Amino acid sequence: MVWTGTWVAERLGVELIGDEELPALLGLALRRNPKRAHLLVSSVLGKHVPQRPAVVYGSGLALGRRVRELLGDEEAARSVVLGYAETATALGHAVADGLGLAPYLHSTRRPVAGVARAGGFEESHSHATSHLLLPEDPKLLAGDGPLVLVDDEFSTGNTVLNTIRALHERYPRDRYVVVALVDMRSAADLGRLDAFATEIGARVDLIAGAAGTVRLPDGVLEKGQALVAEHERATPVPHPRAPREAPVRVELGWPAELPDGGRHGFTPDHRDHLEEALPGMAGRLAEALGGRPDALGQAEETAAARDGAEQAEQRPAERAGQASDRPAELGEVQQAGKPGQASDRPAERAGQASDRPAERAGQASDRPAERGEVQQAELPEQAPDRPTTPPAGLRPRPRPRPRILVLGFEELMYAPLRLGTALEDAGHDVRYSTTTRSPVLAVDDPGYAIRTRLVFPAHDDPADGPGERYAYNVAGAGFDAVVLVVDSAADTPALHAQDGLLAQLAAHIPRVVLAVIPSYTPTVTPTDSVTEAPERSSMLPEPLRGPAFSSYAPEEVGWLLQDLSDVELEAPTEEREEAIQSGGAHYAESLPVEYQPSERYQELFQAALESSAARMACAVGTVTETVLAERSPRPVLVSLARAGTPVGALMRRWAQARHGLDLPHYAVSIVRGRGIDANALRWLAAHHDPADVVFVDGWTGKGAITRELAEAIKEFEGFDPEIAVLADPGSCVRTYGTREDFLIPSACLNSTVSGLISRTVLRSDLVGPNDFHGAKFYRELAEADVSVAFLDAVAARFDEVAATVDADVKELLAADRTPTWEGWAAVERISEEYGIHDVNLVKPGVGETTRVLLRRVPWKILAKRGAEADLAHVRLLAEQRGVPVEVVDELPYSCVGLIHPQYTRGATGADGKAVVSQ
């Protein structure tokens, strides 16, 4: 047998490095996902690869017993186990069973009317990302005992950190345990868990069945996407056979009031009730399958033999029972097929001494194996030999037990798994897997983990609308019967349609049995202790924070964004400008290549900071005191990412230094022409009084964002659209620190003065209807980062400007600050005088002019006579880009940047610099 990651490894240069058992636990596949091209395919999870139920269940049980050993019985009895939808719902449940004393809850993507949402979070690399937490008992997550979080793999840690942070802010506790089948963190991510634990002041342990990492070469995302595009048109689906019989529905006799899984919680008492009922339900399934374990095989032998020649002619890889051609199960990996040797990095396992061998999932110790545990020696499996051509005369012959697949449905994994273990206990030859919403490329090659794919429409009326669903490695795998287990919410006409899942299964497997479990709907008693968030808000994650996202300290700002750091979004400035002006793309759909300041430019920044820090501090104090006096005594600062974020952080620091206030501060995205991030507003409304929200930006230019915000806010009750800015040279707002157009040093740089965060991104293939807008965290620029140094330099001047601020604020509060919009009038005049005829290409003020020189294709710079002191960096950037600077009189701004009108790449000179207008 070859390793089921060989196909991907050879074509993309991907390496799997770590513990010796990794190749038996994981294969590789490719998927169409803009965030992560490769997929680690577990052979013991029971999702994509059919596996013996005892192996799947035993893997989780073993991990759960290790958690109990780590915690001790007293703490184990106080704990709660949380599993992740959709792939780890059964794994988490099995861990809870192994723990024995704890209730279980899994996240879900299915909203349930009337059930209070206890939280939500985001899975950054998943195909579908928003998770809900819907416990029937609102106190389930409110305790202070250990929280055990279970996922199939632990890679970047983003999902777990998002969850813990969201829940810790609401229900703080002292201890968390992270459990995964495999720990696949990169070297760069190894320290994040410890740093995070220190940040929140809690203990965070990690238990994994095996450890390693995936080594990805440069450009792997693009190469993977190209491979998917090349091969997806030829996705293998074995030639269907005419169905021999209609699917059969069986009444399981599922106990009344027993939950169908952990969506709303599953207690130890529920577990005992299920154990009592399993043998009877397995008996009813066995009867529908033909009674004795060998009855189905004898009844179907002649038909199977008749199909043997046809199957052999269709595709040799589909021959039932030919081990070398079907997807490998656990243990079926030749030594020569391993992609890498064990690394010298020991698996990081909580509560496990460094000299203690890894306790592999399902590996029995010297005690007798318990239910669900499978000794390692039992795991390798060879399928029974079957003929590839029919015997003479098509005579029936004795044969091994028929192969039965128990197929679960998306999040409904645990109930089908336990029905599978019960059938195994009764002597049947069973495999188990589940359908999924995750699209994965199928390639008919023994060295690839996903051999075949069935595609069918969603059949549970999903909240996010209709879409395709998938069943992998089912067609052509030699199954004699399939038991499809769904809940009643999924037993819809779409399931029974001509293109539905039942029809797809019947076309490839001789006997199809449908078992429907009643969908459990909690009886919820209203309580004052839990409040329902506004619609959709709790489907959103908690804010991202440093150091996991941004170089700011976690208390400085929470980013209401999604992390797109793994997505290639940068494009050359000239290409972006041409696409933007031609209407082929919006500026928010890509990112400019981050400007790397020269040594001379960095010196200019430091000089500007030194000379203007006191002026900055005075403006920060003035605008903050104005907000406290007029808007709210405890405002919620919401900065417009990213220019507003350093200002918001400084305002927060001023309120803390002068008044002892610990103000919340968040950063949100607003995009010209597209509006503010509506999901961010929903999150804010769910967690704060909208009347306390104060939007913060760095400066005004012509007031376009001010107008954009005012228009967008109309749909949301309670929010005040008035922006507080540091500088308002365009006279566009009432709340400001100054109306002078002076050099704000943070305008001189991009991400390296804004927490290493990119400008925000809004693109339909990356940002769904329930997602925050996106941004990237440029960790690789850490050596050039001055974000915190900038805040420190300005904050250091707070005391010396305090008296000036008090005087300025007193005068300001008594003044008429009605916006005159003189900046907008000046922009319209300039647009016409210079023949541009588009105000969007006129960028007034020092800050906006700097942005033009850093991000766009500048045409010329207008500099106000006498404003040289604030324009040294502008002149340097203009010189570097070959842009003329024209000195003018009667300009309400220190300078104005003009973007090249009607730009095409032909408008640049041979040296790549802008053409000088004649």
Side-chain angles (χ1 to χ4, degrees), residues 708-791:
E708 190 81 44
L709 179 63
E711 186 64 29
I713 290 297
K714 290 179 180 178
E715 300 180 18
F716 295 87
E717 186 177 351
F719 289 98
D720 188 338
E722 177 75 23
I723 301 179
V725 298
L726 202 63
D728 179 36
S731 188
C732 303
V733 299
R734 292 187 70 258
T735 308
Y736 52 83
T738 179
R739 275 187 168 155
E740 296 178 7
D741 185 22
F742 75 101
L743 172 60
I744 300 174
S746 59
C748 296
L749 299 172
N750 284 330
S751 66
T752 52
V753 76
S754 306
L756 297 181
I757 300 302
S758 74
R759 189 184 48 69
T760 58
V761 174
L762 179 59
R763 208 172 80 191
S764 60
D765 62 325
L766 299 173
V767 179
N770 295 326
D771 294 335
F772 292 141
H773 295 187
K776 298 183 72 166
F777 175 24
Y778 291 118
R779 296 177 178 86
E780 65 273 18
L781 300 181
E783 291 186 3
D785 187 30
V786 294
S787 303
V788 176
F790 170 71
L791 299 183

Side-chain angles (χ1 to χ4, degrees), residues 23 60 151 237 313 379 408 564 643 660 757 794 915:
D151 207 354
V237 177
E313 292 171 2
L379 297 184
L564 300 180
I757 300 302
V794 176
V915 174

Side-chain angles (χ1 to χ4, degrees), residues 3 42 79 198 219 225 230 246 277 389 438 488 555 578 592 599 608 658 719 743 772 797 825 842 886:
W3 174 50
S42 172
S79 64
T198 301
Q225 290 172 339
E230 177 185 350
T389 56
S438 178
S488 54
E555 65 274 10
E578 184 175 23
E599 184 176 347
R658 293 298 306 278
F719 289 98
L743 172 60
F772 292 141
R797 303 295 186 94
V842 180
E886 182 178 324

Side-chain angles (χ1 to χ4, degrees), residues 437-461:
R437 59 166 53 208
S438 178
V440 185
L441 176 70
V443 176
D444 184 18
D445 188 285
Y448 188 81
I450 303 296
R451 299 289 298 279
T452 62
R453 180 176 78 174
L454 294 180
V455 183
F456 52 93
H459 52 88
D460 62 335
D461 190 24

